[in-house]
Amino acid sequence: MKLQFVTSGLRTTTQDLGRPGHTHMGVPSGGALDRSAMRYANHLVGNALGAPVLEVTLSGPHLRCLEGGRVALIGSGFDLLLNGEPQRALLPISVNPGDELVIKSSENGCRAYLSVSGEWRAERWLGSASALRIGSHELVPGAIWIRGDILETRDRSVEPWPSTLLPPQPPSDIIRVSPGPEYEWLDEHGRAQLLSKRIRVIDPSNRVGLRTNTQVQLREDKRRVEMVSSGVQPGTVQLTHGGQAIILMRDGQTIGGYPRVLQCASQSLDQLAHLKVGDELILSLIDS
Amino acid sequence: MTLSLAFKMAIRPFGDSALLVDIDAGNTDASSDIVMALNAQLSQQCIRGITQTTPSYNSLLVSFEPERTQHPVLQTEIHAIADTINVQDIPKGNQWSIPACFDAPYALDCAALETELSQDWQSIVDCFCAAEYRVHAVGFLPGFTYLGNLPDALYCNRLRDPRATVPASSIAIAGTQAGIYPFDSPGGWRIIGRLPFTVFQTQADPPALFQANDRIRFEAVNPEVFEALEQRPIASVIKQATRR
């Protein structure tokens, strides 16, 4: 299949399962923020579930088909238009040369995933095709899509196989968390300020981390403690000195010096992909 | 002579797919030795389910696939390995001697530090270059190098307002630590000089030049030499040896 970018959208990148195993060099594992959406999109077009997909952020690209194949879009708040006609959700779409594809965001969309049938000819770094931006520096330049680029895959005529894979759940704003290593640094008051209440995502928030409008105080005796830097992961909720909770995302730092008060459940990480500035969420402690 | 090591270890769950191992061996260097020895043994023994490990100072984050192993199983395995590690398991690391320029325009905080530390710039640079630094961790950003053993005389505060851009390859100090910035990035540490090469290159193998447990000495060069070194391949600029 061959698709040309007529427009790129706000930020459209290649993402796959990321590059675990390099955090000792400071390289985050990264990869598609919503793994279940990525897998299901790949499943629909007959690709390996961890094959690269396009990750769309806030506004989607306009693509022109040069060689036919199948695509599938998974992403709440986005519509896939084929020659101007909205397509049914959760189905693969056959596309022919000359067709125009537009990924259109409705009011709520933050991220969507487009799978493209066939084997990707993607630049890989440390075993992954995923884009990674550090500051203004793109570490995998071939994973960034701009106007005029051509995405080409080598056809393999694999039909989607019958599978027990279920479509991803619609995103929820309830994020399940467990206590982090410094959870005890919060007293009852601090826990009440952070847990089981609506908090808002504020700017800047991106694939590195989600900032929130929280002002949470640590226990009195912990407020001036300088921590020795220690490992963090995607989904770690750090509290800055100013009391702001930052939820680390998949391109986040690998070690940090702020108290790690909570850790999001793995299954909640996918939901974080769909939270944009202004959205609200609830951190909910898992009963143990 | 005993080869076993004395230390306290605490392992606790950190979410549903990681364990945090905290080590206390009395001081940072000794704890760091244990962390590195444990990390080396964990990777050598290919424990089922472990996806990656992140060593930093006195802790080791062990990430795993919950489908392939579980907290209690992994805790038992880590305890068993910790019981057997000895001084020979501490990775030797590399010994580096690297040129750096501490003159303007690379020493962005020169004037402020002269005032803050009540020393002239030459003695600050001499003091910095007299010490040997230990790489305690590589992380935060890809290739960001955390250095320990900064002389007490160079203790200084972070900037109240971090710079929007610290140039790549800058050498920085803050509190009891020194560090090397791999990329142009925001930063609040005090900038005292620059290396004539980059410490993280995606196309190099491995991409990060320095690894935890390496030792680094800096050798001050003047701006003319620095500019000449910038043009040369990195291998001809730095001296590297395996420790001991």
Side-chain angles (χ1 to χ4, degrees):
Chain A
M1 182 162 198
K2 208 188 261 191
L3 295 170
Q4 182 162 36
F5 283 76
V6 180
T7 62
S8 65
L10 184 65
R11 180 166 171 86
T12 302
T13 61
T14 305
Q15 298 290 344
D16 55 16
L17 288 169
R19 46 183 73 84
H22 305 283
T23 50
H24 63 283
M25 296 192 284
V27 178
S29 28
L33 288 184
D34 184 345
R35 296 287 160 87
S36 45
M38 175 198 76
R39 287 196 187 94
Y40 202 73
N42 272 324
H43 160 68
L44 289 175
V45 299
N47 284 356
L49 300 186
V53 293
L54 292 178
E55 184 178 89
V56 168
T57 309
L58 294 173
S59 82
H62 173 179
L63 304 165
R64 180 170 298 137
C65 180
L66 304 180
E67 280 176 22
R70 286 185 306 273
V71 298
L73 183 80
I74 304 289
S76 162
F78 287 87
D79 294 320
L80 181 61
L81 308 184
L82 176 64
N83 301 322
E85 292 293 317
Q87 303 296 299
R88 279 180 61 192
L90 303 176
L91 289 175
I93 309 295
S94 286
V95 189
N96 298 305
D99 283 349
E100 306 277 336
L101 279 171
V102 172
I103 299 174
K104 190 170 177 292
S105 73
S106 55
E107 71 271 36
N108 288 320
C110 181
R111 288 197 175 81
Y113 295 85
L114 186 80
S115 60
V116 179
S117 65
E119 200 172 313
W120 286 48
R121 296 174 183 179
E123 171 190 355
R124 281 182 168 76
W125 179 56
L126 301 178
S128 167
S130 295
L132 177 60
R133 178 158 68 184
I134 302 295
S136 58
H137 194 82
E138 296 288 355
L139 271 62
V140 190
I144 313 302
W145 296 96
I146 57 169
R147 178 209 298 235
D149 282 350
I150 291 173
L151 192 169
E152 193 174 356
T153 65
R154 196 165 55 201
D155 276 341
R156 294 171 308 128
S157 48
V158 178
E159 286 300 315
W161 54 87
S163 142
T164 53
L165 199 65
L166 295 170
Q169 297 289 311
S172 152
D173 53 7
I174 296 174
I175 305 298
R176 289 152 54 82
V177 294
S178 57
E182 283 76 48
Y183 182 65
E184 297 303 324
W185 292 24
L186 293 172
D187 57 17
E188 282 307 314
H189 181 61
R191 290 173 194 180
Q193 287 175 310
L194 188 58
L195 290 162
S196 306
K197 60 179 283 193
R198 304 197 78 81
I199 57 178
R200 188 176 305 120
V201 177
I202 60 169
D203 198 45
S205 287
N206 47 41
R207 286 184 51 94
V208 171
L210 296 182
R211 287 169 189 274
T212 65
N213 69 336
T214 48
Q215 279 211 306
V216 181
Q217 287 234 305
L218 290 173
R219 234 168 59 190
E220 184 107 39
D221 59 321
K222 294 295 186 189
R223 282 179 203 161
R224 275 171 195 81
V225 175
E226 281 288 335
M227 262 182 62
V228 175
S229 294
S230 179
V232 294
Q233 348 163 28
T236 299
V237 183
Q238 287 189 317
L239 217 52
T240 67
H241 291 316
Q244 189 181 65
I246 298 178
I247 307 172
L248 296 181
M249 301 288 272
R250 294 193 196 273
D251 284 355
Q253 62 201 62
T254 55
I255 60 182
Y258 289 125
R260 304 153 291 184
V261 292
L262 300 169
Q263 175 63 39
C264 299
S266 311
Q267 299 211 326
S268 282
L269 289 184
D270 287 350
Q271 292 164 231
L272 297 173
H274 303 284
L275 292 170
K276 61 183 185 302
V277 172
D279 287 349
E280 291 186 330
L281 68 138
I282 296 171
L283 298 173
S284 169
L285 203 58
I286 300 166
D287 294 325
S288 54
Chain B
M1 185 176 107
T2 173
L3 290 176
S4 65
L5 295 159
F7 60 93
K8 283 183 252 171
M9 180 170 79
I11 309 182
R12 35 188 183 155
F14 184 0
D16 53 33
S17 50
L19 286 171
L20 186 66
V21 184
D22 284 309
I23 300 288
D24 180 2
N27 62 64
T28 304
D29 271 345
S31 300
S32 218
D33 280 343
I34 307 296
V35 167
M36 295 313 299
L38 187 60
N39 187 45
Q41 284 302 305
L42 280 180
S43 47
Q44 247 174 50
Q45 301 197 13
C46 297
I47 311 282
R48 178 185 164 86
I50 293 182
T51 51
Q52 60 188 353
T53 56
T54 316
S56 174
Y57 291 84
N58 55 7
S59 70
L60 183 65
L61 176 69
V62 181
S63 307
F64 62 89
E65 290 177 276
E67 299 81 15
R68 300 188 65 218
T69 188
Q70 272 144 15
H71 281 123
V73 177
L74 202 48
Q75 281 197 32
T76 308
E77 286 169 330
I78 295 171
H79 272 294
I81 290 173
D83 286 343
T84 67
I85 59 170
N86 62 54
V87 286
Q88 286 155 343
D89 297 326
I90 301 169
K92 296 278 187 279
N94 287 312
Q95 184 94 43
W96 304 91
S97 180
I98 57 180
C101 187
F102 298 92
D103 296 340
Y106 309 116
L108 305 181
D109 288 306
C110 165
L113 284 173
E114 279 186 320
T115 310
E116 192 174 327
L117 301 175
S118 309
Q119 296 183 56
D120 64 61
W121 189 243
Q122 190 57 50
S123 38
I124 291 173
V125 172
D126 289 347
C127 179
F128 184 80
C129 291
E132 181 184 75
Y133 298 90
R134 174 180 183 142
V135 178
H136 276 298
V138 178
F140 181 63
L141 299 174
F144 187 95
T145 309
Y146 288 89
L147 303 173
N149 309 347
L150 184 72
D152 292 341
L154 299 182
Y155 185 97
C156 62
N157 293 314
R158 290 170 196 222
L159 291 176
R160 279 176 60 91
D161 299 307
R163 287 189 170 84
T165 309
V166 171
S169 302
S170 286
I171 304 164
I173 58 176
T176 60
Q177 294 176 300
I180 302 169
Y181 283 86
F183 298 102
D184 288 354
S185 58
W189 291 23
R190 314 298 285 275
I191 309 306
I192 60 166
R194 198 177 301 172
L195 301 179
F197 52 84
T198 55
V199 298
F200 192 92
Q201 287 179 290
T202 52
Q203 296 315 311
D205 182 24
L209 184 62
F210 304 123
Q211 313 215 350
N213 219 30
D214 285 357
R215 301 292 194 280
I216 299 179
R217 279 185 178 280
F218 296 91
E219 193 187 320
V221 298
N222 66 39
E224 293 73 46
V225 173
F226 180 87
E227 281 166 29
L229 292 175
E230 276 188 310
Q231 308 305 319
R232 285 171 45 183
I234 185 166
S236 72
V237 170
I238 52 179
K239 294 189 204 91
Q240 177 194 357
T242 305
R243 291 178 55 223
R244 275 174 304 228

